[in-house]
Each structure stands twice: as C-alpha cells, then as structure tokens.
C-alpha cells in the first residue's frame, strides 16, 4: 500500500490574506456646502449681468429709433431750407504792408452781408457771430457781430468793419500775389463767418449749432465799393454754408 503520510510542516502556516475592513466615512476631499453656494452665486451674477446688459442695449436702440422717427416727423412738418448768405457790398480803403516793417499789414475793410431765411416755420437765433478776413490763407482781422433773432421768411443785412494792423508772415508766393493786386488795384480776399445758432420750431428751440460760412475769392477794388482805378466793380457773391 502506498504510504499516505503527510509532509512534515516546519514553522507557522499562513493562510490567504484577509482584506481590510471597508471605511464608510465621507472623504475629506468631497465638496462641501460652501463651495456649492459660491458656484451658484457666481452663476447667478453672470446671468444677471447678461440680462442687464441686454436690457440696456434694448433701451438705447429704442431711444435711437424714437429720436429718428421724431426727427423725420419734424422734418416732414417744417421742411427746413438752407439759409443763404451773400456778400452784397465791399469797401476797401487800405491794404498795404508797412514800409518800415515789411510784415505788418495795415487794412481798412467794410463788408456788407445779407442773410436770407427762406423758411416759413423756422426762426433762427444768432447767438454768436464772428467775421474773419483772410488773405493768402492767413487771417489779418476779425470783428464780432451783435446777437439777433431772424424770423420766418426774413432778410437781414449785417454791416461789418475790420480796421487796424496785424503781423502777416507772407511767403514769396503771397508777396508776389500782393504786388499783383497792388498793381491792378483789385485784392483777392476771403471772408469766413463763425457762429453759434439755435433753430426755433414754434416754441421748441434746438441745441446750439456751429455752422461755418465761407465767402472765398472776393475780388474787392481799392478806393471804394463802386469801382477802382481800372473801372472794376465789386460783384455780390454767395457764400458756402457748411455744418462741419
């Protein structure tokens, strides 16, 4: 018979390992209530900010549309026409450089302007008017005009006088032009009107506007408004009206 003896066991016997007991406690890394509240509050703020911005944009768009429609309605009611400016007469009695100081210009110039308001329902407040005289793109003199109101379909005449002396830095080309004007007795002078006006629609007054009136290339004879030594006569000139 076979020998069924058990082998001799020397030392302790180690059985299969026993797994550790499971830990049912909550991990310390899990999110708490404070973090959840902060994230929710930040999301609400972002949402409210977007809603406020969208509301403001809608309000601005609505205001722009209302103002545009109002302006169109007013234009259709009043049908404003451009105001017309003319230089109707000019009198130049002095325009020469000082013989001792060749850069000092002596001048004496009268300009008569006619302003025509062709509108039936629009009046104009001329709050400020300044008339500037230019020669070769350089200003040599200026004069202020008293404020006034111009009614509907009205024509107003403005008389201005520029007199005195002023330092003029003229280049070679400008000095050559001045010598030609002195020889012919006819001077090429520009005039510009700077003003602040308000329009009146019935009882409504507009905000202040700043139009610029340019009366370029006025050919003015020396020695009087009617003629010069060469028989040249001043021709009334219409000015350019610009809101820029």
């Amino acid at each position: 018979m076979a020998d069924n003896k058990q082998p001799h066991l020397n030392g302790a016997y180690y059985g299969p390992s026993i797994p550790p007991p499971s830990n049912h406690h909550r991990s310390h890394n899990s999110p708490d209530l404070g973090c959840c509240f902060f994230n929710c509050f930040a999301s609400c703020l972002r949402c409210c900010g977007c809603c406020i911005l969208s509301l403001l944009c809608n309000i601005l768009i609505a205001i722009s549309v209302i103002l545009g429609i109002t302006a169109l309605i007013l234009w259709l009611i009043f049908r404003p026409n451009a105001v017309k400016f003319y230089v109707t007469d000019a009198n130049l009695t002095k325009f020469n450089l000082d013989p001792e100081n060749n850069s000092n210009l002596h001048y004496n110039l009268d300009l008569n302007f006619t302003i025509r308001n062709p509108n039936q329902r629009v009046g104009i407040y001329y709050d400020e008017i300044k008339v500037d005289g230019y020669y070769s793109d350089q200003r040599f003199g200026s004069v202020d005009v008293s404020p006034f109101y111009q009614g509907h379909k009205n024509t107003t005449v403005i008389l201005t006088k520029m007199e005195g002396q002023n330092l003029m830095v003229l280049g070679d080309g400008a000095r050559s032009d001045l010598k030609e004007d002195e020889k012919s007795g006819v001077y090429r002078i520009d005039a510009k009107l700077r003003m602040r006006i308000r329009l009146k629609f019935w009882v409504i007054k507009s905000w202040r506007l700043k139009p610029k009136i340019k009366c370029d290339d006025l050919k003015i004879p020396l020695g009087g408004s009617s003629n010069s030594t060469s028989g040249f006569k001043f021709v009334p000139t219409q000015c350019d009206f610009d809101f820029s």
Side-chain angles (χ1 to χ4, degrees):
M1 273 182 81
D3 190 2
N4 294 329
K5 290 182 179 181
Q6 296 290 333
H8 177 75
L9 298 177
N10 185 17
Y13 173 75
Y14 296 91
S17 62
I18 300 174
S22 61
N23 188 5
H24 296 287
H25 296 286
R26 187 180 62 185
S27 174
H28 293 286
N29 295 327
S30 60
D32 56 7
L33 294 177
C35 293
C36 293
F37 176 77
F38 177 78
N39 293 333
C40 182
F41 182 71
S43 300
C44 291
L45 285 180
R46 286 194 297 269
C47 181
C48 291
C50 293
C51 292
I52 293 174
L53 182 61
S54 177
L55 179 61
L56 290 176
C57 291
N58 291 334
I59 292 174
L60 292 177
I61 293 173
I63 293 174
S64 300
V65 172
I66 292 173
L67 290 178
I69 294 175
T70 303
L72 178 61
I73 292 174
L74 291 176
W75 183 86
L76 292 174
I77 293 174
F78 295 101
R79 297 279 183 156
N81 296 311
V83 180
K84 300 184 183 300
F85 291 80
Y86 299 88
V87 180
T88 52
D89 201 2
N91 185 7
L92 183 65
T93 57
K94 183 187 295 185
F95 202 84
N96 61 277
L97 293 174
D98 194 323
E100 297 182 359
N101 183 357
N102 205 24
S103 297
N104 197 23
L105 178 70
H106 296 262
Y107 59 90
N108 192 335
L109 173 63
D110 298 336
L111 291 176
N112 297 346
F113 295 90
T114 298
I115 305 176
R116 175 62 180 168
N117 178 15
N119 297 284
Q120 292 183 348
R121 301 180 181 87
V122 179
I124 305 172
Y125 287 95
Y126 295 90
D127 296 328
E128 296 179 19
I129 299 181
K130 181 181 288 292
V131 180
D132 298 324
Y134 285 81
Y135 187 82
S136 187
D137 294 331
Q138 294 193 48
R139 187 175 67 177
F140 62 84
S142 64
V143 62
D144 293 324
V145 178
S146 300
F148 64 94
Y149 172 75
Q150 187 178 36
H152 314 145
K153 283 194 168 294
N154 180 270
T155 299
T156 304
V157 177
I158 298 177
L159 308 179
T160 64
K161 184 177 186 64
M162 286 181 278
E163 182 180 13
Q165 56 183 335
N166 194 13
L167 182 66
M168 296 283 290
V169 182
L170 300 177
D172 294 337
R175 291 182 180 275
S176 178
D177 292 340
L178 183 58
K179 289 181 180 179
E180 291 181 4
D181 292 347
E182 290 174 347
K183 184 178 180 180
S184 65
V186 180
Y187 291 78
R188 292 162 287 184
I189 295 176
D190 300 332
K192 297 181 181 180
L193 286 78
R194 293 175 292 159
M195 57 183 62
R196 294 173 180 264
I197 66 173
R198 290 172 296 153
L199 305 180
K200 181 181 179 182
F201 309 92
W202 286 329
V203 295
I204 301 174
K205 297 178 184 179
S206 72
W207 56 90
R208 282 189 173 182
L209 305 173
K210 298 180 181 180
K212 295 179 181 179
I213 314 302
K214 299 179 181 179
C215 312
D216 294 336
D217 200 20
L218 302 175
K219 296 179 175 62
I220 305 175
L222 182 67
S225 60
S226 298
N227 53 43
S228 64
T229 55
S230 61
F232 181 86
K233 294 182 179 181
F234 176 77
V235 178
T237 305
Q238 183 174 359
C239 307
D240 294 329
F241 188 93
D242 188 11
F243 269 110
S244 60

